[in-house]
Amino acid sequence: MLVRVGMVQMRPVLGDVAGNVRLHVEWVERAAEAGCGLVVFPELSLTGYGLKDLAYDCARTLEDEEIRPLLEASRRVDVVFGMVELSRDYTVYNSAVYASGGAVVHLHRKVYVPTYGMFEENRHFGRGKQIRAFDTAWGRVGIMVCEDAWHPSVPYVLSQDGATVLICPSASPARPVRGDRPGSQEIWHRAVRMYAQLFGAYVLFVNRVGVEDGVLFYGASALVDPFGEVIASAPMFDETLVVAELDGEVLRRSRSLTPLAREEQLDVTFSELSRIMAQRYGGRWIPGAHR
Amino acid sequence: MRIADRPTEELLRISAPLAVDMMTRFLREEVAKAGFSRVVFGLSGGIDSAVAAYLAARAFPRDRILAVMMPYRTSSPASLADARSVAEDLGIPFEVVDITPMIDAFFAGEPGASALRRGNKMARERMSILYDRSAREGALVIGTSNKTELLLGYGTQFGDLASAVNPIGDLYKTQVRQVARYLGVPRPILDKPPSADLWQDQTDEKELGFTYEDVDRLLYFMIDERYSRDALIRGGFDAAFVDAVARRVRINQYKRRPPVICKLSSRTIGVDFRYPRDWGV
């Protein structure tokens, strides 16, 4: 076993950072009692999702005293949580933090901040500019926050950067209600199962529940193994902690049977993307400069 | 098959169990967050308020609910009987407040007041009573306007359109019917033609000039699926019908929005001072 994970399908209180920190610490304790080495919270778990102008009021630096108790809790169990991050240059980001041993190990700023339909994230949040895997005591991990996963380039890059576990904290609203399950849930489960199989990775889809301004978040969090099978899942709409284990042996078998990550021709992808970038931006293209 | 010929029932079919589960959770959570544990609503005998009643009965204990029937002297006796059958079927407390004295006193000096003015006044009188009961009972007012009415502006601003939380505002009228069947709303309410019941023999469909089946099908393609005018007409919808409905949706936008504020500062309510409704709860 690599690690026992606790997926916290919770209902954050909108705009109440201190209250949500207390809730987080309680959930972390429950997960620790269940023997977890990692506990994962949904997107923006410290603030709630539909913030509008509250985004600025809820923004905290990584060093803020208010979130200190949660970092302290990561001495017991590794924690992934979501927050509105106030950066050193005073930009606010929709960020996910991996904390361990009382410190921030990795920060992922959501790259794709949706601003269409019911979403208005880019009105408030800056766009993250890094998609990077990172090492933990138990394995190499990549984080993608909600909409990030609607762009296959994100799990692709994380996978090529060596991630065998993809963590996807989400705040996915339930709609439409044509079938027995919300349409958004059907699409999400299809996507994470497909990613797990194509990238030969565990995928943790950790979605929140609760209602904000009439919008319901459906939960239905799921852990998918690298064969694309859902090995643990939560019910719709209710708060719950789902505990399951990630197994290196399952990763080994999956990657032996179908070594897609090994076979990936990164050089071909890179040269073709370079060509497309050069065509799109002409001679003006400088890697990393086009934001 | 052209889009205009597709059966509305199939096109707008929803999972009633899922929708009811969501609306019930919505009511429970939004009401509790606002600091209330009681709800109040007008029960007209029509299908929309009946659905609201059945949802409330799923979301809250019976003794936390108050249904208010507010007939006028010309209201159909069948409406009151139907409303009563809902309250009795659900075993929820109800109250009958006759609005005749208030309305007749107000219009006593104006025998020529139009049906529109009288209808609006009745709707606002009912709103005023519900908000009084809200204060008396410590209960939040539940709205009963559906998506078809809201889009068409077929309601009275600050009258029947007023409420604190509305569970059915994203359901077209024909979808309200699906949900009503699932919830077990009494047969007579399902079968009778929808009516504001402001005067005798009034029906929504007579007054609007089209059926809910037809307009819901059109609204679904126009609003939900973002079909262009040309695509709608190519799809078999009558151009005059498309234009008339589009115009209704457009000219009634004001009913769906708070009043326009003259912007003078750098942070104006609703423009660049934008907080979620749930901020305050």
Side-chain angles (χ1 to χ4, degrees):
Chain A
M1 182 184 75
L2 294 175
V3 68
R4 179 176 291 175
V5 298
M7 304 194 293
V8 182
Q9 180 166 300
M10 51 98 69
R11 174 192 284 108
V13 180
L14 190 62
D16 181 4
V17 176
N20 285 317
V21 167
R22 283 194 296 276
L23 284 178
H24 277 60
V25 171
E26 286 169 23
W27 282 108
V28 169
E29 277 164 16
R30 280 182 60 188
E33 280 159 24
C36 293
L38 168 67
V39 53
V40 181
F41 289 89
E43 177 180 18
L44 291 175
S45 56
L46 285 186
T47 60
Y49 180 75
L51 294 162
K52 299 184 184 285
D53 275 5
L54 270 174
Y56 305 100
D57 306 347
C58 291
R60 300 288 184 273
T61 64
L62 295 174
E63 295 78 29
D64 196 289
E65 279 304 309
E66 216 165 13
I67 62 170
R68 195 66 229 163
L70 184 51
L71 295 183
E72 286 303 317
S74 77
R75 292 184 191 281
R76 239 179 129 187
V77 186
D78 290 3
V79 181
V80 175
F81 62 92
M83 66 181 289
V84 179
E85 182 219 352
L86 182 64
S87 72
R88 288 186 198 280
D89 66 355
Y90 305 99
T91 300
V92 297
Y93 292 99
N94 178 342
S95 294
V97 173
Y98 191 107
S100 180
V104 173
V105 169
H106 182 79
L107 172 71
H108 176 78
R109 293 173 174 161
K110 189 175 185 178
V111 175
Y112 291 100
V113 284
T115 305
Y116 60 83
M118 64 181 293
F119 306 109
E120 48 189 37
E121 289 188 33
N122 200 200
R123 187 181 162 86
H124 312 292
F125 300 132
R127 294 187 174 113
K129 293 295 174 187
Q130 293 186 347
I131 302 168
R132 294 189 185 172
F134 57 98
D135 287 314
T136 70
W138 52 268
R140 193 159 170 84
V141 175
I143 294 179
M144 46 187 184
V145 175
C146 207
E147 185 90 355
D148 283 341
W150 282 58
H151 294 260
S153 52
V154 176
Y156 173 80
V157 170
L158 292 172
S159 166
Q160 283 302 296
D161 204 15
T164 55
V165 177
L166 300 172
I167 296 176
C168 187
S170 298
S172 176
R175 84 277 184 230
V177 294
R178 285 184 173 283
D180 296 338
R181 290 167 169 272
S184 44
Q185 185 198 324
E186 304 275 358
I187 295 168
W188 262 103
H189 277 212
R190 268 207 304 275
V192 292
R193 293 185 63 178
M194 178 73 90
Y195 285 154
Q197 202 162 16
L198 293 185
F199 296 118
Y202 278 104
V203 182
L204 285 79
F205 171 62
V206 181
N207 189 29
R208 58 161 294 179
V209 291
V211 184
E212 285 176 358
D213 275 15
V215 175
L216 282 83
F217 300 90
Y218 55 80
S221 301
L223 171 63
V224 188
D225 78 8
F227 294 101
E229 296 301 320
V230 175
I231 55 171
S233 61
M236 289 197 291
F237 301 119
D238 289 322
E239 283 198 304
T240 187
L241 170 71
V242 175
V243 176
E245 290 178 358
L246 308 187
D247 189 347
E249 179 60 11
V250 175
L251 283 166
R252 188 195 64 76
R253 282 197 297 112
S254 133
R255 289 188 169 213
S256 303
L257 289 162
T258 319
L260 296 177
R262 185 194 76 198
E263 292 299 299
E264 181 62 29
Q265 297 188 60
L266 192 56
D267 55 335
V268 176
T269 307
F270 182 76
S271 68
E272 290 303 319
L273 285 176
S274 300
R275 174 186 59 76
I276 294 165
M277 291 293 280
Q279 283 171 350
R280 190 172 295 177
Y281 296 108
R284 292 167 286 119
W285 177 56
I286 305 157
H290 292 275
R291 305 195 154 177
Chain B
M1 191 192 296
R2 300 183 311 172
I3 56 170
D5 298 328
R6 292 183 55 186
T8 307
E9 170 88 18
E10 173 206 303
L11 208 54
L12 273 71
R13 182 166 297 141
I14 54 170
S15 163
L18 176 59
V20 165
D21 185 24
M22 288 174 64
M23 291 185 284
T24 307
R25 289 171 186 271
F26 159 84
L27 278 175
R28 222 177 264 145
E29 201 163 316
E30 292 288 14
V31 169
K33 272 196 292 191
F36 288 80
S37 63
R38 297 174 175 276
V39 293
V40 60
F41 50 88
L43 190 61
S44 66
I47 197 166
D48 299 314
S49 62
V51 164
Y54 278 80
L55 291 172
R58 284 179 177 240
F60 307 103
R62 303 290 197 264
D63 62 352
R64 299 298 172 97
I65 301 171
L66 176 64
V68 188
M69 290 83 132
M70 295 167 283
Y72 179 66
R73 61 181 159 78
T74 57
S75 301
S76 154
S79 298
L80 187 59
D82 287 339
R84 206 180 278 269
S85 76
V86 167
E88 281 163 4
D89 182 38
L90 292 171
I92 56 175
F94 65 93
E95 181 185 358
V96 181
V97 181
D98 180 10
I99 64 169
T100 308
M102 299 76 125
I103 300 301
D104 286 356
F106 183 79
F107 286 114
E110 293 194 72
S114 67
L116 174 74
R117 285 177 59 199
R118 297 178 66 82
N120 279 341
K121 176 68 183 161
M122 288 179 217
R124 293 189 182 116
E125 188 61 43
R126 292 180 174 122
M127 176 278 297
S128 160
I129 291 165
L130 286 178
Y131 275 86
D132 172 69
R133 294 320 194 228
S134 167
R136 190 186 76 187
E137 306 283 324
L140 212 56
V141 176
I142 293 183
T144 60
S145 298
N146 63 59
K147 189 173 186 175
T148 310
E149 297 180 331
L150 290 169
L151 285 171
L152 297 177
Y154 191 59
T156 299
Q157 193 182 27
F158 312 123
D160 53 304
L161 296 181
S163 70
V165 293
N166 178 354
I168 66 165
D170 207 13
L171 292 179
Y172 287 110
K173 185 77 175 189
T174 50
Q175 294 174 321
V176 172
R177 286 181 186 146
Q178 293 177 43
V179 168
R181 283 196 294 272
Y182 170 74
L183 286 169
V185 168
R187 197 79 238 177
I189 297 174
L190 296 175
D191 291 342
K192 70 182 176 187
S195 167
D197 201 16
L198 297 172
W199 56 85
Q200 275 181 355
D201 298 328
Q202 182 191 24
T203 71
D204 293 359
E205 292 179 342
K206 237 191 275 181
E207 200 183 1
L208 288 166
F210 40 72
T211 66
Y212 279 117
E213 293 277 315
D214 286 342
V215 79
D216 280 1
R217 185 193 298 114
L218 174 59
L219 286 170
Y220 172 76
F221 284 112
M222 185 187 286
I223 305 295
D224 294 63
E225 296 293 326
R226 294 177 185 254
Y227 273 58
S228 67
R229 179 180 182 276
D230 286 352
L232 291 168
I233 293 164
R234 271 202 311 276
F237 286 103
D238 176 62
F241 182 43
V242 171
D243 289 342
V245 169
R247 181 172 180 278
R248 273 204 82 123
V249 171
R250 180 167 47 82
I251 65 172
N252 285 300
Q253 171 70 353
Y254 75 97
K255 292 189 183 178
R256 298 183 288 264
R257 304 285 303 171
V260 189
I261 292 174
C262 176
K263 185 169 175 65
L264 298 172
S265 77
S266 58
R267 226 171 156 206
T268 307
I269 295 158
V271 179
D272 31 32
F273 175 87
R274 293 154 51 105
Y275 280 85
R277 162 79 177 255
D278 283 2
W279 177 37
V281 301

